[in-house]
Amino acid sequence: MALSTAVPANSAESDQSAVAPAVAATLGIAVSGLRSQKGDVLVCLSSNPKYFPDCRKDKDARKIKVAAADAATFQISDVVPGTYAVALIHDENANGKMDMRLFLPREGFGFSRNPKIGMGPPKFKSAQFEVGVTDANYAVKMKYIL
């Protein structure tokens, strides 16, 4: 690793800012198991375990709405390196939220790394993945309880 030397304040080079190039990847998401093409797929890309999988209060999360008819594959661009998890909701009635019935989801859901679902949603750790500087593709299988 090369180390740089400090440039004196009176140097002609001191007014040039050394800006590192922007580094970001594109995530390709392939969704399988949608039971219909009705409504939307609500996507949450979060790096904060505190707000996963419900990222409505996560101001830093990337929230995307994709028409269910177009959700077989989609991309999330300009993702900076870090640890993330993805949560999907198949919002069949397009009301912008997960509908529940007796504490059970009435609409489909899916998560990165397709963790096993027990009582309640998975933890961030079971859905997390690393994003580097190269593009990556992930597959998410939708699940339905009702």
Side-chain angles (χ1 to χ4, degrees):
M1 175 189 278
L3 297 175
S4 62
T5 54
V7 177
N10 60 359
S11 167
E13 294 180 37
S14 66
D15 61 351
Q16 295 178 0
S17 41
V19 177
V23 178
T26 296
L27 302 180
I29 308 291
V31 180
S32 63
L34 285 171
R35 71 177 169 195
S36 74
Q37 292 189 346
K38 292 183 198 172
D40 301 310
V41 174
L42 306 178
V43 182
C44 170
L45 173 69
S46 178
S47 62
N48 190 336
K50 180 180 175 182
Y51 295 112
F52 182 82
D54 182 1
C55 70
R56 288 178 290 185
K57 294 180 182 177
D58 184 354
K59 63 181 179 56
D60 296 323
R62 299 272 299 270
K63 300 163 193 127
I64 303 164
K65 180 169 62 171
V66 180
D70 301 326
T73 59
F74 60 90
Q75 294 185 335
I76 304 172
S77 59
D78 300 322
V79 180
V80 298
T83 303
Y84 295 91
V86 172
L88 306 178
I89 296 171
H90 182 192
D91 182 19
E92 291 179 279
N93 60 0
N95 68 350
K97 65 179 185 167
M98 167 68 83
D99 293 322
M100 305 292 281
R101 178 184 227 174
L102 298 175
F103 304 104
L104 295 173
R106 294 183 66 182
E107 298 176 300
F109 54 88
F111 305 97
S112 48
R113 295 185 51 205
N114 298 302
K116 290 187 180 194
I117 305 298
M119 297 302 289
K123 299 288 184 203
F124 182 87
K125 188 171 185 169
S126 65
Q128 78 181 24
F129 57 91
E130 296 296 320
V131 173
V133 296
T134 58
D135 296 348
N137 295 302
Y138 296 95
V140 176
K141 182 168 177 25
M142 299 301 289
K143 297 176 181 170
Y144 297 84
I145 294 177
L146 297 176

